Amino acid sequence: MKTEQRLILALGLSFLIIAVYPYALKKFFPQWANLPPVEQNTPPHESVEKMGQPRESAMLPPALSGAREPELRAPRYTTDTKRIQTSRYELKFSPQGALVQYLDLLAFEKSGEEQSSILVNATDGPGAFQLWLKGFESASSSGVYQQKEIFASPRDNIVFEAVLDSKIKIEKRFDFSASKNAFRFVVTLTNLTEDAIAAYYELSSQLYFTETGYDHSFVELNLDTPEKIHSKKADKLKKEPFIYDGKFEWLAMSRKYFSIIIAPDSTIAMDEVRARQLAPDTLESVLRTRPFEILSRGQVVHEYLVYAGPNQYSDLKLYDLGFQKILSKGWFGSLKVGMLILMNWCYQWLPNYGVAIILLTVIIKILFTPLTHISFESMRRMQALQPKIKALQASFKKDPQKAQMEVMKLYKKNKVNPLMGCLPMALQMPIFIALYQVLSQAVELRGAPFVGWIHDLSAPDRLFTLPFSIPFLGNGINVLPLIMIGSMIWQQKLTPSTSADPNQEKIMMFMPIIFGVLFYNLPSGLVLYWTLSNFLTIFHQLVIKRIPFHLHPDTE
């Protein structure tokens, strides 16, 4: 691996692509086989990962343990839904449980099945915001709620209520914002008896997703706790549920471009969070409160802030609750956010995201030009010394240590540091990985046109469709990846070779083809960046070739 890395580093900017090759390979070929459906009330719980205080398996909540009442194992949910439209959402409510069965973002145009803005789509089962109240599980979760009131269109509020056994009245209120992609979900429990009632409840939410293949890797759960953000990919949630005991600020279920985030009010004492993959296209989370008391003829009011919108930094930051952390987690999270902010700054000056990507690429290239120049100069000198190095290795063929010592003397005499050919490029790698992540999932690029045939920078730049499919590529003719392959071949021709191993040179001949296949169906915004970066590197190499240099007189 080290030898291969040294060879890749010798190719200038191509090293940066190859450096992220394992990362890219993992993204492009994940194990995303069709997922089997998960039973609604009987998920596996034999091996549950617990991220806080350990609990006995007997304490597993009903939603995961299957201990719910028999009639709730396969409830029949009415199709008599109530459709409403607010200034931000289109929703469908089921009076059975007062559930949200459908939620779509109106502000985002549909641009393909895998980029759907539908966040809840429960057609054959319970929807989001299902509530199980201790002692009244059946009636509270799937009983029929009465619609209490809806305000004038665009409807900003809807309220449902149900009376349980003449003891408790539950009110579920949805207050929608006219200016933000969020709403308040308020649960009011009223004690109708003369005695205090001890209670706790569970509240579920769902995220519908259509991402497959490469995009499926962006579907995940994020839980913000005092220690850190716990993240679980959908593939892991499919294998085993996630359980966390302890304090947390909010829970986010995210897909490539959109998220549902639930933040309980600080006055609510939460006991546990659980999450699982409910179905092949649905994640489910369940929050459980700690026990509380409802005084005689008294009320308990619990309020939740629910964000249902794009993974857009400016939107997520509005609430001052750290929602933007879902964009900045990971090793290069801060750099990723910095690159995103810089790209949006470029867009403010030139309101075309394709042009903004070009400007961003040029800015990054200029900033790193001194380091790149040092790297290229070092490789040029090492290439010029190759004949002398081969001669020394032949002279001391029986004494490799002596040969190595002589080579080091040769380097020192000519002021060549072998590390300088790769170190400057390695220092740039975090920046380029951050850019890769930004351009792979920036919601700003969703549906954003560039020029000509490039109508959507978040999708491949398909020029036309073939009547047949090509293995590994599909049936589309995408232009930018083909240009990228050509730029990589040209760059290879210009990059000084610092290795005498012919096998490595043969391997490098296939690199443009390999990366062309890997990048072929990636977002065109990302391929635009890589292609332009290659051409800027080629221009730099052509300039360097015109600058003369001299080796030590004894060497020449």
Side-chain angles (χ1 to χ4, degrees):
M1 184 64 179
K2 293 182 178 179
T3 301
E4 181 180 332
Q5 287 178 341
R6 287 195 295 269
L7 182 60
I8 294 171
L9 291 171
L11 294 175
L13 186 58
S14 296
F15 155 76
L16 297 172
I17 301 174
I18 297 170
V20 299
Y21 172 78
Y23 174 83
L25 187 61
K26 180 180 177 181
K27 293 284 185 180
F28 306 148
F29 300 98
Q31 300 299 321
W32 70 84
N34 291 330
L35 304 176
V38 182
E39 294 296 327
Q40 170 64 23
N41 292 309
T42 56
H45 60 273
E46 287 80 11
S47 57
V48 178
E49 178 178 356
K50 299 190 177 184
M51 301 300 298
Q53 299 292 330
R55 291 182 181 270
E56 298 296 331
S57 58
M59 293 295 292
L60 281 175
L64 288 181
S65 66
R68 205 173 289 166
E69 299 171 65
E71 65 270 25
L72 291 183
R73 291 178 181 271
R76 296 179 180 179
Y77 289 90
T78 178
T79 57
D80 182 22
T81 58
K82 300 181 182 297
R83 180 189 295 266
I84 71 168
Q85 183 170 309
T86 73
S87 57
R88 296 278 172 159
Y89 306 113
E90 179 184 351
L91 304 104
K92 293 180 184 177
F93 287 90
S94 169
Q96 190 171 357
L99 310 177
V100 176
Q101 291 196 308
Y102 180 89
L103 187 153
D104 189 12
L105 302 175
L106 295 177
F108 291 85
E109 295 182 359
K110 311 299 178 290
S111 61
E113 180 69 18
E114 294 197 6
Q115 296 188 19
S116 165
S117 57
I118 300 171
L119 300 186
V120 178
N121 191 25
T123 55
D124 299 322
F129 304 102
Q130 190 171 26
L131 187 147
W132 296 271
L133 180 65
K134 176 192 175 184
F136 305 91
E137 287 85 352
S138 178
S140 61
S141 63
S142 58
V144 176
Y145 282 63
Q146 299 299 314
Q147 181 180 312
K148 184 178 179 182
E149 57 183 315
I150 295 181
F151 288 86
S153 182
R155 296 174 177 128
D156 294 324
N157 309 81
I158 183 168
V159 181
F160 295 91
E161 67 176 29
V163 176
L164 312 180
D165 198 23
S166 300
K167 295 180 180 179
I168 289 183
K169 182 176 72 173
I170 299 182
E171 181 183 277
K172 298 169 75 172
R173 181 185 184 97
F174 300 83
D175 293 333
F176 297 96
S177 169
S179 59
K180 297 179 180 179
N181 293 306
F183 56 90
R184 297 280 177 181
F185 174 66
V186 184
V187 176
T188 302
L189 303 173
T190 303
N191 186 350
L192 303 178
T193 72
E194 300 299 331
D195 300 317
I197 297 177
Y200 69 84
Y201 63 84
E202 296 179 347
L203 179 68
S204 74
S205 185
Q206 296 180 3
L207 175 71
Y208 171 74
F209 60 89
T210 54
E211 287 85 348
T212 59
Y214 167 71
D215 290 343
H216 185 261
S217 62
F218 296 109
V219 182
E220 63 183 6
L221 169 88
N222 292 292
L223 184 70
D224 185 34
T225 71
E227 307 87 34
K228 64 174 184 177
I229 290 186
H230 298 279
S231 296
K232 289 293 177 184
K233 298 291 185 182
D235 284 341
K236 289 189 176 181
L237 292 175
K238 173 202 169 187
K239 296 176 182 177
E240 60 179 6
F242 167 82
I243 293 183
Y244 177 86
D245 306 329
K247 296 179 63 176
F248 70 95
E249 297 296 325
W250 46 261
L251 175 145
M253 293 181 290
S254 301
R255 45 191 294 192
K256 186 174 183 180
Y257 296 121
F258 305 102
S259 290
I260 289 181
I261 306 177
I262 301 175
D265 188 85
S266 58
T267 59
I268 305 175
M270 304 305 300
D271 186 44
E272 185 179 73
V273 177
R274 308 188 306 281
R276 62 174 177 167
Q277 182 160 326
L278 179 67
D281 59 2
T282 305
L283 294 185
E284 180 190 57
S285 65
V286 178
L287 311 181
R288 184 168 71 181
T289 67
R290 291 181 181 175
F292 55 87
E293 187 178 55
I294 312 174
L295 298 178
S296 170
R297 303 292 177 179
Q299 282 188 341
V300 170
V301 179
H302 286 173
E303 184 173 314
Y304 299 83
L305 172 63
V306 181
Y307 177 85
N311 299 332
Q312 198 161 3
Y313 185 81
S314 56
D315 279 15
L316 294 168
K317 197 176 180 182
L318 283 175
Y319 306 94
D320 200 27
L321 291 172
F323 292 167
Q324 68 273 15
K325 291 178 185 177
I326 65 173
L327 300 178
S328 61
K329 59 186 178 63
W331 286 4
F332 305 111
S334 298
L335 283 174
K336 175 184 173 183
V337 171
M339 293 297 102
L340 180 62
I341 293 173
L342 182 57
M343 182 183 73
N344 287 327
W345 178 83
C346 293
Y347 178 79
Q348 290 178 355
W349 290 94
L350 299 167
N352 180 301
Y353 271 109
V355 178
I357 290 172
I358 292 174
L359 182 57
L360 175 65
T361 306
V362 172
I363 290 173
I364 297 299
K365 201 67 182 176
I366 291 174
L367 290 175
F368 283 101
T369 292
L371 288 175
T372 306
H373 192 86
I374 291 172
S375 177
F376 287 161
E377 283 288 356
S378 179
M379 286 192 290
R380 285 182 73 198
R381 291 180 176 274
M382 290 181 67
Q383 183 187 38
L385 291 174
Q386 284 302 310
K388 186 66 175 177
I389 293 174
K390 289 180 181 179
L392 289 173
Q393 290 173 341
S395 300
F396 299 98
K397 188 175 182 179
K398 295 184 179 181
D399 192 351
Q401 290 186 348
K402 179 66 174 177
Q404 186 66 24
M405 290 175 61
E406 292 298 324
V407 169
M408 295 309 296
K409 288 180 181 178
L410 184 64
Y411 283 156
K412 185 176 181 180
K413 186 185 298 182
N414 289 276
K415 298 180 180 180
V416 172
N417 184 345
L419 291 178
M420 291 310 295
C422 62
L423 183 59
M425 309 306 293
L427 293 175
Q428 300 178 54
M429 190 171 69
I431 296 293
F432 284 88
I433 293 177
L435 277 170
Y436 173 90
Q437 294 174 340
V438 167
L439 298 176
S440 293
Q441 65 176 123
V443 69
E444 289 85 348
L445 302 183
R446 181 181 182 271
F450 179 31
V451 292
W453 74 98
I454 305 177
H455 306 293
D456 185 352
L457 287 166
S458 69
D461 64 314
R462 180 165 299 183
L463 184 61
F464 58 87
T465 302
L466 298 171
F468 55 88
S469 182
I470 302 174
F472 303 107
L473 301 181
N475 62 350
I477 296 298
N478 305 332
V479 179
L480 282 178
L482 301 178
I483 298 175
M484 187 191 79
I485 292 173
S487 68
M488 290 185 67
I489 294 173
W490 189 3
Q491 188 178 344
Q492 277 188 349
K493 300 294 184 182
L494 295 175
T495 302
S497 176
T498 59
S499 173
D501 188 347
N503 292 326
Q504 292 179 353
E505 294 182 1
K506 290 179 181 178
I507 292 174
M508 292 310 303
M509 290 174 60
F510 290 99
M511 283 300 173
I513 304 300
I514 293 173
F515 279 94
V517 172
L518 291 176
F519 277 68
Y520 195 77
N521 288 304
L522 286 187
S524 54
L526 176 61
V527 184
L528 173 65
Y529 161 72
W530 287 120
T531 304
L532 178 60
S533 185
N534 284 347
F535 278 113
L536 291 176
T537 301
I538 289 170
F539 175 76
H540 192 176
Q541 288 175 305
L542 291 173
V543 171
I544 288 178
K545 280 184 174 292
R546 292 178 174 271
I547 302 174
F549 73 94
H550 300 284
L551 297 176
H552 191 277
D554 292 345
T555 305
E556 297 178 348

